[in-house]
Amino acid sequence: MTDDLARLSINQETIKQWSLEELAEGCAKAGIGHVGLWRAPVQAYGVERTARLLSDAGIGVTSLCRGGFFTALDPAERARALDDNRAAIDEAAALSTDTLVLVSGGLPPGSRDLHGARERVADALAELAPYAAERGVRLAIEPLHPMFASDRCVVSTLGQALDLAERFPAEQVGVVVDTYHLWWDDRAPADIARAGAGGRIHAFQLADWITPLPAGVLLGRGQLGDGSVDFRAFRSAVESAGYDGPIEVEIFNEALWAREGAEVLAEVAERYVRHAC
C-alpha cells in the first residue's frame, strides 16, 4: 500500500454494485485497507459473517451508516427509533468500528418547528450516548446540506452539529465532516477548528458537488475532481484541527454504479491521490 492510499477508506455505497465479498476482495487486491459500511447490506449478509469476512481480508471498518431519525413526535415512533439505534450500536461494535454515523431526521409531517426537532435529537443522544460508550462506539452527527432539512436532516451545518455534540463528552458524541454537505459554508473552516479543539471529528468523508443536480438529489454526489469542492483545503483544515484518521470516499452516483466495480475503485483511488493528497 502506498503512503498516499494508507488512509483511504472506500464507503460501500461508492461501489454499490459489488457484493460484500467483492468489496473485500477488490479492496484487498488494490491495497486499500479500510471500508465504510451500510446497515442494510450488512444485515442481509449477516453482521457476524461480515465481520469475519473483512477480518480475514485484513480490512478495517471505519464507520457504520446509519443511525438517527430521531425527530418524530409520536412517542411510540420515537421508542422504535431508539430501539433501532441501540441495534445499530450493537452492530457497529460487532463490526469492530468505533463510529456510528447519525442522520438526525427531518421535520415530522405538518411541523415547521426546526428548534423542537433538534431538541428531540438531543433527547435521543442523551438516551443513546451512554449505551454506545459502554460498547466502545462513538456517535457521529452528520450535518446534511440544507436541501435535506425538511425530510432527512434538521442539522444542516457543522456548527449546529457541534451545538448538539458539545452537550456530551467528546468520546461519546462527535461529528462527521463531509465535503459534499459542507463545501458551500464559509463558516466550515472555523467550525472544523472548533470540532478539532474538542476532539470531536469522528469521521471525514469526501464527495464532490456537481451541477445540475439529478432529479433524485440523493444520488447527486460526484466523483472527486468533477465538481466544485476543494478537497485539499478541507483535508488541510481537518488535519490542522488534529484529525489523522481514515478518509472515506462516499459517493452515491448511478453512473458509477453502472460501471465495472474494479474500474470504479481504481478511478476513486487515482482521483483521491490527485485531488485530496
Side-chain angles (χ1 to χ4, degrees):
M1 183 185 303
T2 68
D3 289 342
D4 284 341
L5 295 180
R7 292 170 62 190
L8 175 61
S9 174
I10 301 296
N11 187 278
Q12 186 174 12
E13 286 290 288
T14 303
I15 316 179
K16 187 177 182 177
Q17 63 271 42
W18 264 358
S19 68
L20 272 162
E21 291 172 343
E22 290 170 322
L23 181 68
E25 181 181 2
C27 286
K29 284 183 178 179
I32 294 170
H34 310 282
V35 296
L37 297 179
W38 280 69
R39 293 181 68 198
V42 168
Q43 289 168 349
Y45 189 78
V47 176
E48 298 294 342
R49 188 180 175 204
T50 300
R52 288 193 302 271
L53 172 72
L54 295 174
S55 177
D56 290 346
I59 305 293
V61 180
T62 53
S63 71
L64 179 65
C65 197
R66 65 182 186 257
F69 289 86
F70 300 129
T71 55
L73 290 166
D74 177 66
E77 190 175 346
R78 288 177 55 75
R80 286 193 295 272
L82 290 171
D83 286 343
D84 183 62
N85 277 269
R86 292 185 189 97
I89 291 164
D90 293 341
E91 291 162 13
L95 293 164
S96 298
T97 179
D98 64 358
T99 302
L100 176 66
V101 175
L102 303 181
V103 175
S104 298
L107 286 172
S111 173
R112 294 175 176 82
D113 183 7
L114 282 167
H115 175 76
R118 292 182 188 128
E119 285 304 305
R120 289 192 294 279
V121 174
D123 291 344
L125 292 170
E127 292 272 348
L128 295 170
Y131 184 89
E134 289 172 359
R135 288 151 182 81
V137 175
R138 307 175 302 181
L139 305 178
I141 304 167
E142 181 171 15
L144 267 57
H145 189 279
M147 67 181 173
F148 297 114
S150 64
D151 65 342
R152 192 163 294 269
C153 188
V154 295
V155 179
S156 300
T157 68
L158 193 56
Q160 291 169 357
L162 287 166
D163 288 344
L164 289 166
E166 287 170 352
R167 303 186 193 191
F168 307 95
E171 64 272 16
Q172 294 184 11
V173 184
V175 297
V176 179
V177 176
D178 186 321
T179 61
Y180 178 76
H181 294 299
L182 300 177
W183 74 275
W184 58 275
D185 188 354
D186 60 5
R187 295 166 297 182
D191 287 334
I192 289 170
R194 172 184 164 191
R200 294 185 187 272
I201 302 176
H202 291 349
F204 178 37
Q205 296 180 329
L206 309 183
D208 218 336
W209 180 277
I210 53 175
T211 46
L213 295 174
V217 294
L218 278 175
L219 308 184
R221 291 173 172 240
Q223 175 64 281
L224 309 187
D226 283 353
S228 306
V229 178
D230 186 341
F231 295 106
R232 287 198 180 93
F234 265 93
R235 180 167 178 171
S236 176
V238 299
E239 290 180 344
S240 294
Y243 181 80
D244 60 0
I247 302 173
E248 191 174 302
V249 176
E250 183 187 59
I251 304 171
F252 313 150
N253 187 295
E254 288 182 320
L256 291 185
W257 296 340
R259 292 167 53 190
E260 199 278 321
E263 178 184 287
V264 174
L265 180 63
E267 182 178 277
V268 167
E270 187 275 329
R271 295 290 190 95
Y272 167 80
V273 171
R274 188 181 351 154
H275 295 288
C277 291

